[in-house]
Amino acid sequence: MEFPVKTGNPAKVETDCFVIPVYQDDELLPAAARLDDASEKLIGQLIERGDFDARLGRVQLIPFSPGLSTERLLLVGLGKREKCQEAAFRKALDATFTALAELPVDNCTVAFTDVPLAERGTDWKARMVAEATHRALYRFDQLKSEKQPAPRLEQVALLVSAESEADGAREGARIGNAVGRGVNTARTLGNLPGNVCTPSYLAEQAEALGRTSGGALAVEILDEEALEALGAHSLLSVGRGSEQPSRLIVMKYQGAEDPDEAPHVLVGKGITFDTGGISLKPGEAMDEMKFDMCGAASVFGTVEATLAIRPKVNLVAIVAAAENMPDGLATKPGDIIKTLKGLSVEVLNTDAEGRLVLCDALTYAERFEPASVVDIATLTGACIIALGHHATGLLANDDDLALDLLDAGEAAWDRAWHLPLWDEYQEQLDSNFADLANIGGRPAGTITAACFLSRFADKFPWAHLDIAGTAWTSGKQKGASGRPVGLLTQYLLDREGDAVVETEVETGAE
Ligand code: BES
Ligand code: MN
Ligand code: ZN
């Protein structure tokens, strides 16, 4: 997919389809007004006659364009001007590219940077255009015999009003293109069924990424033997009831000028299917537990975006992969296991398995002496009850890191919400027989899950993203969302230059 940037007279732009955003009951935006003037008020008349209704998300194709160099026009409703900010803008983009995916056009030109948004510049709008394009063109039909025809769209040109806007648009499109691809990679890994996407499949994906990175990504896979030798018994305890062997996947990217600069570490929960184990889940919608590796999928998507963008940061990406099944060797409620850190854990519920793989991965992260560690996990059903399907849950042992992640989520429009990780909650994990229990009872399930992880994250600034509500959609539109690849990529981009600033503070330099 290409996103060239254009300036100049909109009436003279040669394109298969010109996309024009329109407010409800308001004046035309600049590019639309110029097209209107050059076409004997075609757009104005259509609106006047009621042939186009500019309510948010409405689209109308005009398959001709007298006086203009474009083949077609696509009018897109923005709704009321005063209500049109980020969320509405994105909704209009989704409607646009969903419509374009069905049209016989190879390229289009969009005038979306014309839409004034209070807190966003051209770069952000261009980024959102690129991300929305990838989102709308995404198909997951590799396991269907009969495939729908693939969308033809290959090029989305961004028309900007002035040359001074062009660089911003180009940079935004570059980031959006990379994030969009990363998001779709995460969606595909999430959508793949549990019998295809196993822990070894994820390990192979990492190795493939390493091979195609031209040396930019170093990949190491720890198999069960290596994990046993290491002492990662908690991670191993989860896969014990499965025929599929567990894996710890480690990917390293060095983008900082100083290869020794402390890396940022991402840790993804990669439960490729979660039956609950011996604490078996009820049958309803259990198929959706193939999505229990969406944290891992978002780590892969972010690595891919990072390889495309090449930010000047060091990154270590870790995926803790296992399948949670009930069988003769499966861990049982009451079993006590020893974690890599040395703490013993009483497994009171084998369905609280995410934290058991993540705790060993967090301990493993210590060896990288990280600047920050962020884990991403479909960890608790309670998070869906607390925040629904819009906000990712965020908990952290460091308020600066929490703020950085909230900011990144806001910037990428892939938002998280901060929940408390107060000491008072920790006692819910007390065990009569081991150092701690793996569940904390019904109250505040998302927080006690994070409390569990926090016991293994005492050596670095750490944050936890609970994506149980945001990683996939249920129902007719069932499918992985690719969240939070946008947030994570933005977080890494924002870390460029952090180390330089710190050295300056230390040395007192200006
Ligand atoms: N993967 C689930 C969490 C989950 C459930 C995410 C439903 C999205 C939708 C996790 O492994 C789990 O089963 N958590 C338990 C924890 C409980 C036993 C303390 C839960 O949320 O019920
Ligand atoms: Mn579970
Ligand atoms: Zn799970």
Side-chain angles (χ1 to χ4, degrees), residues 108-119:
C108 68
T109 299
V110 301
F112 278 111
T113 53
D114 265 8
V115 180
L117 299 176
E119 311 208 350

Side-chain angles (χ1 to χ4, degrees), residues 274 276 281 292 324 351-353:
D274 181 13
K281 286 182 179 297
D292 212 17
N324 188 20
D351 199 10
E353 84 298 337

Side-chain angles (χ1 to χ4, degrees), residues 43-52:
I43 302 167
Q45 284 183 54
L46 288 166
I47 296 170
E48 190 88 352
R49 296 198 324 207
D51 283 325
F52 178 60

Side-chain angles (χ1 to χ4, degrees), residues 188-270:
T188 294
L189 287 173
N191 288 336
L192 281 169
N195 62 329
V196 174
C197 184
T198 58
S200 1
Y201 181 88
L202 288 178
E204 283 162 22
Q205 298 312 300
E207 276 169 341
L209 261 181
R211 275 196 301 277
T212 53
S213 72
L217 192 75
V219 177
E220 194 187 346
I221 311 290
L222 279 73
D223 63 10
E224 291 199 332
E225 204 183 328
L227 290 166
E228 196 74 56
L230 189 69
H233 304 298
S234 184
L235 196 169
L236 286 168
S237 77
V238 173
R240 206 129 273 153
S242 167
E243 297 282 322
Q244 295 294 337
S246 305
R247 294 282 184 269
L248 187 76
I249 302 164
V250 186
M251 296 170 270
K252 288 184 215 157
Y253 159 83
Q254 287 203 342
E257 265 146 44
D258 177 2
D260 293 329
E261 189 178 299
H264 296 280
V265 178
L266 301 178
V267 179
K269 169 177 171 181

